[in-house]
Amino acid sequence: MIRRLPDLLIEPVVRMALAEDLGRAGDITAQACIPEGARMRAVFAARQPGVLAGVDCVRLALLAMDPTAAIDLKAHDGDAFEAGAVLVEAEADARAFLAAERTALNLLGRLCGVATLTRAYVEAVGGTAARIADTRKTTPGLRALEKHAVACGGGVNHRFGLDDAILIKDNHVAVCGGVGEAIRRARAMAGHLVRIEIEVDGLDQLDEALAERPDVIMLDNFSLDDLRAAVARAGASSFGRPIFEASGGVNLQTVRAIAATGVDVISVGALTHSAPSLDVGLDAL
């Protein structure tokens, strides 16, 4: 069962999107064409198969426009569905319904797209020990929702922001003067609950990183041979084995071979920066 996001996190995004769409005068088409007080009953239906994420965006968009709306969620976030599946059925004031339509569909389609692509990656590495993780390459303002969608697809979340884990990347290393020095500085500052991850871009940096015993080592743009060598080298180290995260050059054609090298996590920016929106439509009844 996928943990639901609190409405408190979703509502500001939904209301911002509605405000953007309503502009200064509201839905003047609905005001012109739809009699005041008219009711509308409709379903949000999938035009293609996928994985559900963001169903609460639909609910909150409708309730924001019509607090009396009757909403029946036919599926839950994380559920797989086929083309033609009814995801939500609702009845509301017709003007309000039509004003909320595009915001609800935009968010639902976007988040279902992320969840569906994530599920494809998760299935591609099935039977291996590797987990699929997202990155911070998210749409500004939508990070919590997009990372929720990744979880709906079976992936795991990387850090949510700059403040919840230390991730030392190549530019940090360059300024610090080396991998070891960067890790030592990070450890001196980090609280006891803060994990430290270091990005290395070659086997020459790996031994230096292993000697400092970070929690996670990101193997960035490593070849398959070098990934295997890194995992083997750490296994033989007297310092213990960190979590290995593979990053860079990951797509649906390469991900299984990467997983087979023995890495623990594969981070995929494409889950959020390149996922196509799923086709979902609104059909009046």
Side-chain angles (χ1 to χ4, degrees):
M1 186 73 176
I2 300 296
R3 184 175 61 190
R4 288 179 62 182
L5 283 180
D7 287 356
L8 187 66
L9 288 178
I10 307 172
E11 280 183 317
V13 176
V14 170
R15 289 186 177 277
M16 180 180 67
L18 286 169
E20 179 180 59
D21 214 18
L22 291 167
R24 295 166 297 177
D27 183 358
I28 60 175
T29 306
Q31 293 170 26
C33 299
I34 307 299
E36 187 174 359
R39 302 290 292 178
M40 177 178 176
R41 190 163 155 260
V43 295
F44 290 83
R47 305 289 193 242
Q48 60 187 117
V51 177
L52 184 58
V55 71
D56 284 313
C57 295
V58 175
R59 175 178 61 83
L60 292 172
L62 291 173
L63 289 175
M65 297 304 300
D66 179 6
T68 69
I71 304 162
D72 184 7
L73 305 182
K74 298 295 187 181
H76 301 285
D77 281 0
D79 291 348
F81 54 81
E82 297 300 323
V86 173
L87 306 176
V88 181
E89 182 174 339
E91 181 178 348
D93 176 90
R95 290 183 178 182
F97 209 141
L98 292 169
E101 173 186 0
R102 179 44 51 197
T103 289
L105 288 172
N106 282 351
L107 290 170
L108 184 63
R110 169 65 184 154
L111 298 176
C112 285
V114 171
T116 301
L117 182 60
T118 302
R119 183 68 56 87
Y121 273 90
V122 169
E123 291 176 348
V125 301
T128 74
R131 297 189 294 172
I132 299 297
D134 52 30
T135 70
R136 283 170 43 244
K137 295 177 181 177
T138 53
T139 307
L142 294 184
R143 180 168 295 170
L145 297 184
E146 290 179 346
K147 282 183 170 284
H148 169 72
V150 167
C152 290
V156 297
N157 295 143
H158 212 288
R159 59 179 180 164
F160 271 73
L162 296 172
D163 62 339
D164 62 351
I166 291 176
L167 174 46
I168 305 165
K169 305 200 78 175
D170 54 351
N171 288 327
H172 299 102
V173 170
V175 174
C176 288
V179 166
E181 179 63 18
I183 297 173
R184 287 189 290 272
R185 292 185 187 183
R187 181 166 288 112
M189 178 268 192
H192 68 290
L193 295 180
V194 177
R195 283 193 161 193
I196 298 173
E197 179 173 7
I198 180 78
E199 175 188 281
V200 299
D201 57 17
L203 291 171
D204 57 327
Q205 291 183 326
L206 180 61
D207 288 335
E208 188 179 359
L210 286 170
E212 298 298 332
R213 305 180 68 178
D215 299 295
V216 186
I217 297 179
M218 179 189 293
L219 307 170
D220 187 46
N221 284 299
F222 274 45
S223 68
L224 294 177
D225 286 343
D226 282 352
L227 287 173
R228 283 187 285 267
V231 172
R233 188 174 298 185
S237 170
S238 61
F239 298 115
R241 188 190 188 287
I243 294 171
F244 276 120
E245 175 187 338
S247 178
V250 183
N251 56 51
L252 282 171
Q253 288 68 51
T254 63
V255 70
R256 185 164 187 88
I258 293 170
T261 65
V263 297
D264 305 289
V265 178
I266 303 172
S267 54
V268 187
L271 300 182
T272 50
H273 73 57
S274 295
S277 289
L278 204 78
D279 189 6
V280 182
L282 181 70
D283 300 322
L285 299 178

